[in-house]
Amino acid sequence: MKKETKEFIFEISFGATKYGALKVYIVVESKKIKKKYSTGACFHSELIALTKKYTENRDYLVSTEAERERVIQEIVEDIYAFALPFFKRFEHVETLAEQVHKSGFLPHRKRFDKFNPLTKRFIDFYYQGE
């Protein structure tokens, strides 16, 4: 699923593992960054990393049909509760850039993306401070 704005492209994609788990990925691309680099990606993560449910296990586990239905509902809820509000933060890119400069894209996950090249690229392009 993709949505484009004047400056950004937001994407949610789905995959599966050979172990019967679902993966959901969140990608944000900047059209401004893409003009300079071959890719405009400025954020890429698994949906579960946006949540506070994130643990060592990064998958939405499905082993039975009943479990699959429950997990699909959980993914839908996570998209509404976490992915869409995360995308909305890009409407105020200057404010977001300041927040990302201070604590990364995911402040609830300390040091998650502190050294991530995509985070650095976003800060280089959008942060106007110091």
Side-chain angles (χ1 to χ4, degrees):
M1 300 186 300
K2 269 188 183 179
K3 178 184 178 184
E4 256 185 78
T5 65
K6 182 179 173 187
E7 177 60 31
F8 295 99
I9 300 168
F10 305 100
E11 184 175 348
I12 299 173
S13 60
F14 304 87
T17 70
K18 64 182 179 181
Y19 303 106
L22 294 175
K23 296 257 190 195
V24 183
Y25 299 97
I26 304 298
V27 178
V28 179
E29 291 188 37
S30 163
K31 294 175 183 176
K32 185 177 185 179
I33 292 173
K34 193 170 188 167
K35 288 178 184 175
K36 183 170 180 181
Y37 296 98
S38 60
T39 176
C42 58
F43 182 81
H44 184 281
S45 177
E46 295 174 28
L47 171 63
I48 205 160
L50 298 179
T51 74
K52 294 190 173 148
K53 297 182 281 188
Y54 184 86
T55 62
E56 292 300 314
N57 181 8
R58 300 176 175 202
D59 303 331
Y60 291 94
L61 300 174
V62 291
S63 55
T64 66
E65 191 168 329
E67 189 71 7
R68 192 173 312 126
E69 292 304 313
R70 184 195 61 76
V71 169
I72 289 170
Q73 184 59 40
E74 182 181 341
I75 290 169
V76 169
E77 290 170 8
D78 287 350
I79 288 171
Y80 279 104
F82 299 101
L84 297 181
F86 180 78
F87 292 157
K88 190 161 181 59
R89 293 171 64 197
F90 285 83
E91 289 177 3
H92 306 286
V93 73
E94 295 84 11
T95 303
L96 176 60
E98 188 174 321
Q99 292 169 348
V100 171
H101 174 73
K102 289 179 183 173
S103 56
F105 277 109
L106 306 177
H108 68 283
R109 304 252 346 267
K110 294 187 183 350
R111 301 157 82 98
F112 169 75
D113 57 356
K114 183 174 173 106
F115 301 106
N116 185 313
L118 297 180
T119 302
K120 183 175 177 352
R121 185 185 299 175
F122 177 81
I123 290 168
D124 289 348
F125 271 80
Y126 293 103
Y127 180 61
Q128 303 298 317
E130 304 144 32

